[in-house]
């Protein structure tokens, strides 16, 4: 759950149907985590961030207050561009560190309607800030609009980078690099490798909120695509895959069943068969440095909280 996304308005038909068909036809069935985020899913995720087991949101917010605001102030950006902006609650720390007139905030997320609400709230708090909401799926398209005032800071918080495979993460970072100039900077939130018990507890809370969040993706498919998933027939399973250094969230069929998705097909499930709904990679400094290098970035600042559970990484173009 390293995801700080906004409310999703799924694009029914084309893209969503094709992605679901491909995912359920794979040897390891899978669904994109972006489909968690209808209104109910976002409410559940907000609840998750307040659970005692779920540390990333608290750790990142503390780092933003303690280190990142000063780091950003030192670079004096004219634009703050946030990928996967969501509610932008934590972003206020960075916005307050931006000084001077004619400053811009460009939140980028998958739902323009949700972004418009965020822009209204942020605009009321910061009346001298220019706000340009951009609707985009950062996993597949351009990540930064052209023509933004320079220098700029591009922020990708929430350790959402962990939801991407290594190759996909490199492709995304490469698109970021193409939009950067030498004076620009990149700010990345990353969840770090730690005691497996701490990691797994964050995805298996005792109140069952994460389990409800996980199953909610099936409600989304039933509503948006007319699928006939029996949601109660799937259990929640989250575990740390040590070889890949990542949490995997799955939905597990508790009995044999078949599911029909109109215009996509009928998909059979054996008892115990799973749908992978999310990955969440955990990093260390070396793995982040390697990702950066392959995309054309280098680490400029490493801001880590005392327990060593989470970090904010300041990056610049490679020399």
């Amino acid at each position: 759950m390293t995801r700080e996304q906004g409310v999703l308005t799924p694009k029914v038909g084309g893209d969503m149907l094709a992605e679901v068909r491909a995912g359920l036809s794979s040897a390891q069935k899978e669904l994109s985590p972006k489909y968690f985020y209808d209104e109910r899913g976002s409410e559940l995720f907000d609840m998750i961030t307040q659970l005692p087991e779920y540390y990333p949101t608290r750790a990142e917010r503390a780092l933003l207050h303690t280190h990142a605001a000063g780091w950003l102030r030192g670079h004096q950006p004219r634009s703050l561009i946030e990928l996967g902006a969501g509610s932008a609650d934590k972003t206020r720390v960075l916005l307050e560190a931006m000084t001077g007139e004619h400053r811009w905030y460009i939140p980028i997320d998958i739902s323009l309607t949700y972004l418009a609400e965020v822009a209204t709230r942020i605009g009321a708090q910061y009346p001298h800030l220019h706000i340009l909401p951009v609707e985009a799926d950062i996993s597949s398209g351009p990540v930064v609009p052209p023509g933004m005032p320079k220098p700029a800071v591009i922020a990708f918080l929430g350790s959402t980078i962990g939801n991407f495979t290594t190759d996909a993460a490199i492709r995304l970072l490469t698109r970021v690099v193409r939009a950067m100039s030498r004076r620009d900077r990149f700010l990345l939130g990353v969840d770090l490798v730690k005691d497996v018990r701490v990691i797994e507890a964050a995805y298996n809370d005792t109140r069952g909120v994460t389990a409800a969040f996980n199953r909610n993706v099936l409600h989304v498919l039933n509503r948006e695509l007319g699928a006939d998933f029996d949601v109660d027939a799937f259990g929640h399973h989250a575990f740390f895959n040590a070889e890949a250094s990542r949490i995997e969230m799955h939905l597990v069929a508790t009995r044999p069943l078949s599911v029909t998705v109109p215009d996509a097909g009928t998909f059979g499930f054996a008892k115990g068969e799973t749908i992978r709904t999310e990955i969440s990679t955990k990093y260390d400094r070396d793995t982040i440095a390697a990702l950066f290098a392959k995309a054309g970035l280098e680490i400029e600042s490493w801001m880590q909280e005392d327990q060593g559970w989470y970090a904010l990484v300041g990056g610049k173009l490679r020399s």
Side-chain angles (χ1 to χ4, degrees), residues 82-248:
E82 185 175 13
L83 311 181
S87 64
D89 285 340
K90 292 177 294 186
T91 315
R92 287 173 173 80
V93 179
L94 300 178
L95 293 175
E96 289 171 3
M98 294 177 69
T99 58
E101 298 180 352
H102 307 299
R103 294 302 189 255
W104 285 75
Y105 173 51
I106 301 91
I108 302 175
D109 211 293
I110 199 169
S111 170
L112 186 58
T113 300
Y114 191 66
L115 285 171
E117 295 174 358
V118 169
T120 299
R121 294 199 304 270
I122 296 291
Q125 288 183 271
Y126 305 95
H128 300 297
L129 188 68
H130 301 284
I131 304 174
L132 176 64
V134 176
E135 181 188 30
D137 182 351
I138 62 172
S139 66
S140 57
V143 293
V144 178
M148 292 297 100
K150 300 285 188 169
V153 166
I154 302 170
F156 192 26
L157 302 176
S159 196
T160 308
I161 191 73
N163 296 151
F164 294 78
T165 65
T166 298
D167 288 344
I170 292 169
R171 288 195 296 271
L172 186 152
L173 294 177
T174 300
R175 295 199 301 274
V176 169
V177 165
R178 289 174 185 155
M180 290 176 65
S181 66
R182 286 288 168 191
R183 296 175 63 201
D184 296 337
R185 292 297 184 267
F186 181 55
L187 180 64
L188 180 69
V190 293
D191 198 8
L192 301 178
V193 176
K194 61 188 73 64
D195 189 322
V196 171
R197 292 171 295 182
V198 173
I199 298 174
E200 290 190 337
Y203 295 80
N204 294 282
D205 64 275
T206 56
R207 293 177 54 189
V209 181
T210 309
F213 175 83
N214 196 8
R215 282 192 289 267
N216 187 66
V217 72
L218 302 182
H219 288 297
V220 171
L221 267 57
N222 285 349
R223 183 184 66 248
E224 301 296 338
L225 296 180
D228 62 356
F229 281 96
D230 179 353
V231 177
D232 293 334
F234 287 86
H236 166 74
H237 181 47
F239 63 94
F240 186 69
N241 179 336
E243 183 177 355
S245 190
R246 70 189 190 194
I247 276 283
E248 295 190 12

Side-chain angles (χ1 to χ4, degrees), residues 10-22 34-35 224-225 263-264:
K11 295 181 179 179
V12 180
D15 293 347
M16 184 180 188
L17 184 64
E19 287 182 1
V20 169
R21 180 193 296 116
K34 66 187 177 185
Y35 297 125
E224 301 296 338
L225 296 180
D263 299 320

Side-chain angles (χ1 to χ4, degrees), residues 276-303:
R276 186 170 59 211
T277 53
E278 183 178 82
I279 62 171
S280 183
T281 303
K282 311 305 173 187
Y283 302 95
D284 57 25
R285 184 166 183 147
D286 289 342
T287 53
I288 290 298
L291 279 181
F292 274 23
K294 290 177 181 178
L297 291 163
E298 62 182 53
I299 296 174
E300 181 181 51
S301 301
W302 183 271
M303 299 163 270

